[in-house]
Amino acid sequence: MIEEIFDLLTENYFIPVYFLTFIGSIARYNRYFDTVLRFFPILIAYTFLNELLGVIIRNYPDFSLFNNLEYSEYNFILYNIFSLFFFGFFYRVYWKLISNERYKQWIQRMSITILLIYVVSCVFQNPFDTDFYYAHALGSWVLLFCVALYFIEKKRDKGTIYQPKNLVFWISIGLIIFYTIFPFIFIIGYWDYDIWKKFNLRTVLRVLIVVMYSLFITGFLKGRRRNFG
């Protein structure tokens, strides 16, 4: 059993990175416990457990969400729900961080639009047997737009976007790196699985996850309370 767990974590090497990020978020919690990111450790823990359960379902039919053996590996509903919470969390974070009222209105309107897109996706797609590819892609681009607005405001107010002691800076860089590429990889996997396999895009996606969460960890280590925001 221990050997199976070791093999599972070795193959899915990004999962321990989630756990390490959670440990980092708790260890440095005193630096941002009263900020807009105060619930971030909960989101990271949710991410870790969601990914772990998703991998277990995919590899062990006994843990399937369905009685039908044909659907034993299906874990799509986990990620469809997770993406909605993940995007919603960060939309709110940037809405709170940004002071420009026009920017805040844009974020609010786009957040509502993304929520509606997920609702509409439930009408045309079964959330239990397919990923909401297009909703995830649109949600990613809206998140990138929120990060861009944040950096635009920082550039205007501080004269620079480089803030190595600001936790939000490192989180934002991580989000940019991952979500700039993620939607295209995901859609390719949906439309042309042969390309997905040929270029080993699953590994690319996992490496991007490691990079993003490593940047989060960097933020926890280098971030200072007085430089937050």
Side-chain angles (χ1 to χ4, degrees), residues 113-142:
T113 300
I114 292 300
L115 176 60
L116 292 175
I117 288 172
Y118 272 92
V119 172
V120 171
S121 295
C122 289
V123 176
F124 294 98
Q125 296 175 287
N126 185 342
F128 288 93
D129 66 14
T130 186
D131 270 312
F132 288 166
Y133 293 91
Y134 299 116
H136 296 338
L138 291 171
S140 301
W141 290 325
V142 169

Side-chain angles (χ1 to χ4, degrees), residues 69-117:
L69 187 61
E70 181 182 354
Y71 304 113
S72 62
E73 296 182 0
Y74 283 21
N75 54 17
F76 302 111
I77 186 64
L78 298 178
Y79 297 101
N80 289 330
I81 294 174
F82 168 77
S83 293
L84 192 57
F85 276 100
F86 188 89
F87 289 138
F89 175 84
F90 278 110
Y91 294 162
R92 183 179 181 276
V93 164
Y94 286 104
W95 182 82
K96 294 283 287 185
L97 287 171
I98 290 172
S99 59
N100 185 296
E101 287 300 323
R102 184 174 59 173
Y103 292 175
K104 292 171 78 75
Q105 288 179 7
W106 288 349
I107 294 174
Q108 187 175 43
R109 291 169 185 170
M110 288 188 293
S111 299
I112 294 173
T113 300
I114 292 300
L115 176 60
L116 292 175
I117 288 172

